[in-house]
């Protein structure tokens, strides 16, 4: 029996509403719908091997080509995978969507496809190279590396990061000013504590971003106040000349920015505004918190260097492995102004409780061996190809929708016809697609309403799931010109 299961797959009950013929488009559509619903509803679990087309055709009394065509349709949609020697299987489920996406209406059984921004293609994680780096790092690690350790993190990783960031992002860093943390949220928590301890009451933020960051700022005892936004990026001049300067006064302890690639709008901060915010920080003693969340991924323009290079004494640089490798590593880093290092160490604690030392040593080896650069270059090609496919699909099937913010990063903003955002998000849910509307990323206190748009994370699906996700997206978008 076990041998038969490996060869033929599971017994499969399929209820077809059909008439006598064993062929024809109506029967193929019925079979495709029935199999899709079985996967969506959970009757067919991820990884389940389906019967061969010959076996299922015989069981159902229909033509083999009808089964083969239905399988092919579902492979193209991303519900199934087909590999020689492995047969046809139910595709792995996409990663769970955040709570903000879970509040939106969705098709029964949850989304089949995930275009929520913020996650890279986890299936492309370089497992083999990471394992090799881990073995080399562990073999070379001194015994004391396995102790509680420096709260700044392992010296090997801090040195590797300082060298890499100087070369790739224009960051001016001494390893002694680098602090390893468990991701951006951990780093922001530390800086929120430090700013509050310095007497700050307000942290200026961008009009568009992530509510989890704004909530964290509020929990740190700071008020998050949004700066205006236009086609040149965040209006940092408002810190000095605009209405923000009056009522806020000296209470603004810092400003949180994504200057290289604003999230989610996708534009770089204009050079004049980069200079303006640095000038504000020098004059007032405020801090600039620079979130360089996807700094490695540039496609149609020269890389935009880190803002930190303009003034390392006033800018805290945040970086993580979450977009370049995987968020599950829980590895991030801060490049701190020298005078801020003792305060952030005190906020973190007397020992490195947050970051596993073996992962730190592995990442250090992964960077210094050149494996990190090779992985980033390969990922850049993969995501650029997806970006191009997205743009081509919109031109062919939804010409009224325009993709913006696409010169860099892992997401695009799709501008929709006025008044259609909510209906398109609902339509996407009924196509089995998790995706965010732009309104979900607008700060509640922002002055102007956002345009109707979707924020599409085209880096999120696996290679096998991307075609189906793109098809579902096009099905949900307005089709007119």
């Amino acid at each position: 029996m076990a041998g038969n299961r490996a060869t033929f797959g599971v017994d499969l009950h399929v209820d077809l509403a059909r008439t006598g013929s064993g062929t024809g488009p109506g029967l193929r559509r019925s079979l495709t719908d029935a199999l899709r619903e079985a996967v969506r509803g959970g009757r067919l679990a991820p990884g389940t091997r389906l019967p061969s087309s010959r076996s299922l055709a015989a069981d159902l009394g229909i033509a083999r080509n009808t089964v083969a065509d239905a399988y092919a349709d579902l492979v193209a949609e991303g519900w199934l995978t087909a590999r020689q020697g492995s047969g046809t299987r139910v595709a792995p489920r996409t990663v769970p969507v955040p709570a903000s996406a879970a509040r939106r209406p969705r098709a029964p059984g949850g989304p089949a496809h995930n275009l929520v921004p913020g996650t890279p293609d986890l299936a492309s994680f370089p497992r083999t190279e990471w394992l090799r780096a881990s073995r080399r790092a562990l073999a070379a690690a001194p015994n004391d590396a396995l102790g509680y350790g420096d709260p700044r993190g392992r010296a090997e990783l801090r040195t590797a990061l300082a060298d890499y960031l100087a070369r790739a992002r224009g960051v001016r860093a001494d390893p002694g000013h680098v602090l390893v943390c468990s991701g951006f949220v951990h780093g922001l928590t530390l800086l929120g504590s430090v700013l509050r301890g310095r007497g700050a009451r307000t942290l200026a933020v961008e009009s568009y971003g992530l509510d989890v960051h704004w909530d964290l700022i509020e929990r740190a005892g700071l008020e998050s106040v949004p700066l205006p936004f236009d086609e040149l990026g965040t209006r940092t001049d408002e810190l000095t000349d605009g209405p923000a300067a009056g009522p806020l006064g000296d209470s603004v302890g810092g400003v949180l920015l994504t200057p290289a690639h604003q999230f989610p709008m996708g534009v770089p901060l204009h050079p004049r505004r980069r200079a303006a915010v640095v000038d504000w920080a020098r004059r007032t003693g405020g801090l600039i918190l620079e979130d360089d969340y996807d700094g490695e991924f540039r496609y149609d323009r020269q890389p935009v260097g880190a803002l930190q290079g303009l003034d390392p004494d006033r800018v805290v640089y945040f970086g993580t492995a979450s977009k370049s490798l995987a968020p599950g590593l829980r590895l991030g880093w801060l490049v701190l102004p020298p005078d801020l290092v003792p305060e952030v160490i005190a906020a973190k604690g007397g020992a490195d409780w947050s970051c596993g030392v073996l992962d730190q040593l592995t990442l250090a080896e992964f960077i210094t061996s050149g494996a990190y650069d090779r992985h980033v270059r390969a990922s850049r090609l993969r995501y650029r190809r997806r970006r191009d496919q997205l743009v081509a699909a919109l031109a062919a099937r939804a010409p009224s929708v325009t993709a913006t913010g696409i010169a860099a990063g892992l997401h695009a903003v799709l501008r929709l016809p006025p008044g259609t955002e909510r209906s398109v998000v609902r339509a996407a849910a009924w196509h089995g697609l998790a995706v965010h509307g732009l309104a979900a990323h607008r700060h509640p206190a922002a002055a102007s309403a956002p345009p109707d748009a979707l924020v599409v994370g085209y880096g999120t699906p696996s290679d096998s799931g991307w075609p189906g996700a793109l098809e579902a997206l096009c099905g949900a978008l307005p089709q007119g010109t």
Side-chain angles (χ1 to χ4, degrees):
M1 291 294 291
N4 287 340
R5 288 188 63 144
T7 303
F8 298 111
V10 297
D11 285 337
L12 184 59
H13 171 73
V14 180
D15 184 15
L16 296 180
R18 63 184 179 90
T19 55
S21 171
T23 61
L27 183 57
R28 171 181 170 179
R29 185 163 51 252
S30 294
L31 178 58
T32 303
D33 291 345
L35 290 172
R36 185 190 298 109
E37 190 54 39
V39 176
R40 177 184 287 161
R43 285 205 303 119
L44 291 177
T48 300
R49 182 171 180 170
L50 300 186
S52 68
S53 58
R54 184 188 303 276
S55 175
L56 185 57
D59 288 346
L60 298 176
I62 61 178
R64 181 184 179 187
N65 284 348
T66 302
V67 178
D69 290 343
Y71 279 0
D73 290 343
L74 294 171
V75 168
E77 293 177 15
W79 297 99
L80 305 179
T81 61
R83 294 183 178 87
Q84 186 151 8
S86 181
T88 302
R89 296 178 181 272
V90 178
R93 291 196 189 280
T94 53
V95 296
V97 295
S100 56
R103 290 193 294 267
R104 290 168 170 72
R106 59 182 61 183
H113 306 290
N114 186 3
L115 291 178
V116 172
T119 305
D121 175 4
L122 300 178
S124 70
F125 183 83
R127 296 170 186 251
T128 301
E129 287 291 339
W130 186 263
L131 182 59
R132 289 172 182 160
S134 178
R135 287 170 174 164
R136 292 193 300 267
L138 185 58
N143 291 336
D144 63 5
L146 303 177
Y148 289 110
D150 189 325
R152 294 173 298 175
R154 286 298 303 177
E156 296 91 335
L157 178 55
R158 292 187 284 111
T159 300
L161 286 169
D163 292 344
Y164 172 79
L165 293 172
R167 168 171 55 83
R169 301 296 299 128
V171 172
R172 291 192 276 165
D174 180 281
H177 303 153
V178 177
L179 182 137
V180 179
C181 56
S182 61
F184 178 81
V185 166
H186 183 205
L188 186 57
T189 300
L190 296 175
L191 264 298
S193 172
V194 168
L195 285 170
R196 194 69 188 91
R198 287 184 165 195
R201 299 192 302 277
T202 302
L203 185 66
V205 298
E206 296 170 315
S207 289
Y208 299 94
L210 291 172
D211 55 3
V212 65
H213 297 165
W214 304 325
D215 291 345
L216 187 151
I217 291 166
E218 300 284 341
R219 289 199 299 271
L222 300 168
E223 182 183 6
S224 68
V225 176
L227 296 170
F229 180 90
D230 61 23
E231 68 277 1
L232 300 182
T234 298
R235 292 285 306 274
T236 56
D237 54 313
E238 291 287 319
L239 287 165
T240 302
D241 303 318
L248 296 178
D250 295 334
S251 69
V252 181
V255 55
L256 174 61
L257 299 171
T258 51
H261 186 229
Q262 202 284 325
F263 181 84
M265 301 304 285
V267 299
L269 187 62
H270 191 275
R272 286 199 304 272
R273 294 184 180 176
R274 290 164 67 96
V277 71
V278 170
D279 181 63
W280 166 83
R282 288 170 176 166
R283 195 171 57 255
T284 65
L287 285 174
I288 302 166
L289 311 186
E290 177 181 14
D291 180 8
D292 195 30
Y293 68 99
D294 65 355
E296 293 90 349
F297 300 111
R298 299 289 177 267
Y299 310 126
D300 299 329
R301 67 176 187 224
Q302 291 296 315
V304 177
L307 184 64
Q308 190 265 5
L310 296 180
D311 194 338
D313 292 333
R314 304 282 8 127
V315 180
V316 179
Y317 177 91
F318 289 71
T320 79
S322 296
K323 305 298 183 290
S324 58
L325 286 167
L329 290 178
R330 307 312 309 140
L331 283 174
W333 42 88
L334 306 176
V335 181
L336 298 165
D339 68 343
L340 201 64
V341 173
E343 293 174 77
V344 179
I345 288 177
K348 189 180 182 188
D352 189 5
W353 304 102
S354 62
C355 308
V357 67
L358 296 182
D359 283 340
Q360 291 186 55
L361 293 171
T362 299
L363 181 56
E365 172 63 24
F366 198 73
I367 293 171
T368 57
S369 70
Y372 186 80
D373 285 85
R374 291 192 296 273
H375 172 71
V376 167
R377 285 196 298 271
S379 298
R380 193 181 293 136
L381 290 174
R382 175 185 301 108
Y383 297 136
R384 179 171 186 160
R385 185 164 56 246
R386 292 189 189 181
R387 191 258 340 239
D388 292 345
Q389 291 167 346
L390 171 63
V391 172
L394 293 177
R397 300 185 54 182
S400 65
V401 177
T402 304
T404 63
I406 57 175
L410 307 181
H411 75 277
V413 176
L414 306 190
R415 298 297 182 98
L416 302 171
T420 62
E421 179 179 317
R422 294 181 66 182
S423 63
V424 170
V425 171
R426 286 196 298 268
W430 285 107
H431 279 79
L433 175 67
V435 68
H436 282 181
L438 179 59
H441 294 283
R442 175 182 173 270
H443 193 285
S448 59
D452 286 83
L454 296 183
V455 183
V456 172
Y458 56 79
T460 305
S462 65
D463 283 342
S464 62
W466 166 243
L470 183 56
E471 177 67 23
L473 174 65
C474 289
L477 293 174
Q479 304 298 304
T481 58

